[in-house]
Amino acid sequence: MPTALSALRMAGFLSKEVLMMNDILFGNNNGAVIKKLSGRYFKASKSRNIIAIIAIILTTILFTTIFTLGSGLMDTVHDQNIRKAGGDGQAVLNYISDEVYGDMVGNPLIDRIAYTKAVSCRLKNPGLERWRSDLWYMDDTALEFARYTPTTGHRPEAENEIIADTKTLDALGVPAQIGQTVSLTYEVKGKLYTTDFTLCGFWETDSLSNIGRLVVSKAFVDAHSDILTYTYPVDNDYSGVVSAYVMFKGNGDIEVQLHQLLSETGYTCDTMGGSKQDGNYVIARVSPAYQNGALTDNPAMLISGLVGVALIVVTGYLIIYNIFQISVIQDIQSYGQLKTLGTTKRQIKRLINRQAIRLSLVGIPIGLLAGFFIGRALMPFLMNGTSYTADAGIKVTVNPLIFIGSAAFALFTVFVSVRKPAKIAGTVSAIEAIRYTEKDTAAFGTRRNKDKKSTHGAKLHRMALANLGRNRKRTVLVIVSMTLSLVLFNTVFTLSGGFDIDKYIAKFMDTDFVISTADYFQFRFETSGSELSEHFVDAVRQNEHFADGGRLYSSWMLEEPFSTEHNAFFSYNKDRNGNPFVRLYGADDFLLNGMEVIEGTIDLEKLKTGEYILLSVDCNDDGTVIENPNISVGDTVRLNHLKAEELSTTITDSYDFIIMAKVRANENTATTRNTGESRFYLPTEIFLPLCDNPHLVNFPFDVKEGTEAEMAEFLNSYIDSVEPSMDFESKATYTSSFDDLTSLIITIGGALSIIIGIIGIANFVNSVLTSVITRKKEFAMLQSIGMTGKQLKRMLSFEGLYYAVGTILTSAVLGVLFSVIVVRGISSGIWFFTYRFVMWPMLVIYPFLILLTVAIPALLYRQIAKASIIERLRQ
């Protein structure tokens, strides 16, 4: 045993402290000795430490990137939802009076409440046709919530002072300079007023805002209180209405708090079972920005997150486990010598765990920083793949939970990976450890491979195959890690290639172009009081690139709606008899012919007799029809024509129609872009006589093939120079958003594939390196009996080739199964996905994989071959 002790002391691993055996034998505290030993083992393995640190860094980067993207997505979506909603506030009370607001103020449930009062929603200034702006008063809290606090100047105080956003000023032709005169012509209660204001402040228009704001002072509102009276319940006029935005105390359920607030103040709302007929009814709702469901309410997101984390844990495990297994193999004889000196199994585990901690202290901080910045860099791609946009700004805060969670998962992965190698080092017997070579599997299990006589001779390719069987677990781990990256890589291209641009665009646009008013594309067709001009339609029809198109007509709900007495339909809006409102449209042949028939058939000649009507079905996002069993083709439906008078309606005429067919009408080209009511379609010539004042909604049309760009240029020129209040959309609008989505999949999925691929190759390199290091003496013995260095390199290259073949076969089988079963199953829930089986991404990678796996072993052998055979035999 002195020989073993001398060897360890010569190697620099032991000091005099180890000779104090009473520290170990009698249970004294010898933590300092373990600490010093761990440090010396750590310093003695610099190259291996570098590889381990890189592995830990890569694993931590994966965790941190995922957590950063998740946190950034939630923060950005919340921020953009607030901005889209027009400002902060957990709950909103709309169209209320000053009396109702006064009842709310001071309630102990409220933390902060913002007060706004509408002056005019109908500004008549030239320049505001395509950029709608409203005139309001807002208190300081409201300005803060809406992010309208002037960045230049101050809030309005004097009666003639005003503030505005920069886009509104630009539309008005007013320079964004303090002291400029802002002359406004606006309508209040049906009367026009003109007032010259002085600009005292302004702010940059939010890119997510689709409406401008001009804000007057409290002094102006007080001076004009006689015309800003609350008359909304009588005439639906917005001037004088108050909107309040509420932030509650605590973190309870917002809807519950809203109901409690209304109950305590003596009011009710829709979600409390109230109705417009109740004297204490108010319009109140939870802000969309605060309606996000809990993670447990979104199983798909929860499962995706768990699968992602599990994937990273497995990936990190594959490389970190392999590295520490290599470490144990290389130092196994040292551990055996420590066992002869009385070191316990628990102490050897502590020694290895301390090394893992030291490596983690170096690798994890680097991975946290790198992962955070990688996550921030990928956020724009992630946002552009959603219904949100990176152009509106992303919000990635330095959230401590990102780093705490990433570090915790990284440490968990490290210690899970180290557990088995530490156990091996602790359980191996002293005698087995001292005589261990890679062929001896006793150190790694209880079974020993039996020697078998070869009947094929010492052929290099068979020797290589036998060598892989020495440590089957490591061979499997290397193949699995490389297979994982290939399967993921193939999945990324299967997903990105399966997104069907035709399905995607067809949902939003079934024609090349659609023209209408600017308000129509901002979902304000009825409230704006404007409609598509016939002059614009004529200009389009006369254009040389025009192919075919058709008009869509409707009536305004607040002017002359239609209702039905049929019990198959429901709407929040009802006439005085409780019959639900419906949407009735008049459509030209171009639109009628373009509708997809779900049930029945369309006979235009019969339809134009005035006896028949088309019913539009409701559909889910994936196009699945929502069945309405209470109405069928052939049934008769009665439609009532109503005259709106204040908040009541009077039936003026009734018409009976037979349902000819159920059709699927495009939401963006064949509706007013308002939802909530069932939709019916009649030919234009039948519809127009039914209305007192029909309105032209839009004009969808197609162009001659290959002339889309020329038509878009014409439309832009016409709008800019002739009718600024008009606007258009085209298929190109949605093609861009589709490209953003596919680039998201390729960028993030491709990056993940590359990282896991690097880990797989690193695993392979580590495995080969271990094999070469632990078999140096074996190689020297083979060379001493006649094997040449060239033959050794060929044998090692064969080993690498077998790794490649194993990876190719495994990835081909798993790739096919994963694609057909998992990817196909997941993609069936994506409405614009058309599954296509592909394998070409893996086939492209296979030649490079073979080249790497054949070349790397030979290159690594060259490093040990620098020492002579005699020197290697002595080791």
Side-chain angles (χ1 to χ4, degrees), residues 435-478:
R435 71 185 186 187
Y436 173 78
T437 64
E438 189 178 33
K439 184 179 179 181
D440 187 359
T441 58
F444 293 87
T446 58
R447 294 188 303 171
R448 184 188 299 273
N449 291 336
K450 295 180 180 180
D451 292 331
K452 295 181 180 179
K453 293 182 180 180
S454 173
T455 59
H456 304 283
K459 295 182 179 179
L460 293 179
H461 65 279
R462 292 191 174 278
M463 291 175 66
L465 187 61
N467 288 334
L468 292 187
R470 292 180 173 189
N471 194 328
R472 292 187 179 92
K473 180 180 287 187
R474 189 174 66 216
T475 302
V476 169
L477 285 176
V478 172

Side-chain angles (χ1 to χ4, degrees), residues 612-650:
Y612 297 89
I613 197 167
L614 302 180
L615 170 63
S616 177
V617 297
D618 294 325
C619 300
N620 295 319
D621 283 341
D622 61 358
T624 305
V625 175
I626 301 174
E627 295 291 344
N628 188 344
N630 297 316
I631 188 75
S632 302
V633 171
D635 290 355
T636 299
V637 60
R638 171 166 290 186
L639 300 183
N640 300 316
H641 176 266
L642 308 171
K643 184 69 175 178
E645 298 173 352
E646 297 181 352
L647 293 183
S648 63
T649 53
T650 302

Side-chain angles (χ1 to χ4, degrees), residues 568-569 582 595-596 598-599 613-618 628 631-633 637 658-665 678-681:
F569 307 105
V582 296
M595 293 180 181
E596 179 186 354
I598 304 300
E599 183 182 340
I613 197 167
L614 302 180
L615 170 63
S616 177
V617 297
D618 294 325
N628 188 344
I631 188 75
S632 302
V633 171
V637 60
I658 300 171
I659 305 292
M660 173 179 281
K662 291 183 179 180
V663 298
R664 193 195 323 256
S678 299
R679 297 186 294 268
F680 292 89
Y681 291 86

Side-chain angles (χ1 to χ4, degrees), residues 537-553:
V537 174
D538 292 339
V540 168
R541 293 179 65 88
Q542 293 169 14
N543 187 279
E544 60 179 326
H545 305 301
F546 174 80
D548 196 8
R551 295 173 177 81
L552 179 72
Y553 291 90

Side-chain angles (χ1 to χ4, degrees), residues 728-777:
F728 76 95
E729 274 187 1
S730 67
K731 285 184 176 179
T733 307
Y734 298 98
T735 302
S736 176
S737 63
F738 180 85
D739 292 339
D740 288 338
L741 177 63
T742 53
S743 67
L744 164 73
I745 300 294
I746 293 175
T747 302
I748 295 182
L752 190 60
S753 301
I754 290 170
I755 291 175
I756 295 177
I758 291 172
I759 289 175
I761 295 299
N763 254 338
F764 171 72
V765 172
N766 286 329
S767 179
V768 174
L769 182 62
T770 304
S771 178
V772 169
I773 289 173
T774 56
R775 294 158 61 195
K776 284 192 291 186
K777 189 172 182 177

